[in-house]
Amino acid sequence: MADLEAVLADVSYLMAMEKSKSTPAARASKKIILPDPSVRSVMHKYLEKKKEVNFDKIFNQMFGYLLFKDYCENVAEEPIPQLRFYEEIKAYEKLECPEERRKLAKEIYDNFIMKELLAHSHEYSSEAVSHVHKYLMKNEVPVNLFEVGPFLIFLIASHDINKR
């Protein structure tokens, strides 16, 4: 009798397993639905909760930077060449060889800073420019030569990106 009950239990178990395989919709109905399907608004709510809704926090994250870059390249009405300036500075900071850094530092200075200075169309602080010039004249190229902060402020201010 115990054997018969065991067989019936096994058959019931196997039938239940077959039934669950044939009806995946039963499991699908248990999916969690997010209250807001927009990733942007969910992230905004999360950052607001953490009190981290500011340009620096967002821009310094890879995803935030990529969104900003996409905005500059595809949405902004005017071209924003300073983004290339920023990317050159970031590439400079990643270089380990002083000779490569020296070469790239001079290119950055000539192509971005000096060009703006000669055209009198810059908004760089005199401190930032003299800092870079002083080190280049000594042939010294520390990793933080360009101190992205003052130049990044220029990048943002020069095109009124915050107002859009």
Side-chain angles (χ1 to χ4, degrees), residues 52-86:
E52 295 182 351
V53 179
N54 62 50
F55 182 81
D56 291 333
K57 279 284 189 187
I58 295 168
F59 185 80
N60 290 324
Q61 301 293 320
M62 179 58 80
F63 187 65
Y65 170 72
L66 291 173
L67 285 172
F68 179 74
K69 182 178 177 179
D70 181 59
Y71 169 81
C72 291
E73 293 173 346
N74 300 317
V75 179
E77 294 169 7
E78 300 175 32
I80 303 175
Q82 289 82 359
L83 188 63
R84 195 171 134 246
F85 177 44
Y86 174 77

Side-chain angles (χ1 to χ4, degrees), residues 41-53:
S41 61
V42 170
M43 272 312 289
H44 193 268
K45 287 175 188 174
Y46 172 79
L47 291 171
E48 271 182 339
K49 187 177 179 181
K50 296 241 179 208
K51 296 184 181 5
E52 295 182 351
V53 179

Side-chain angles (χ1 to χ4, degrees), residues 76-130:
E77 294 169 7
E78 300 175 32
I80 303 175
Q82 289 82 359
L83 188 63
R84 195 171 134 246
F85 177 44
Y86 174 77
E87 289 178 336
E88 291 289 325
I89 291 173
K90 294 314 267 180
Y92 166 84
E93 291 174 347
K94 291 178 184 176
L95 293 175
E96 293 181 18
C97 174
E99 191 57 42
E100 290 176 7
R101 268 203 313 260
R102 189 173 294 111
K103 181 182 175 196
L104 187 55
K106 287 180 181 179
E107 287 177 17
I108 291 171
Y109 186 80
D110 291 343
N111 293 334
F112 297 101
I113 299 171
M114 186 54 81
K115 195 181 220 180
E116 295 285 326
L117 289 173
L118 292 173
H120 299 289
S121 62
H122 71 90
E123 295 181 25
Y124 302 126
S125 72
S126 58
E127 293 172 15
V129 174
S130 64

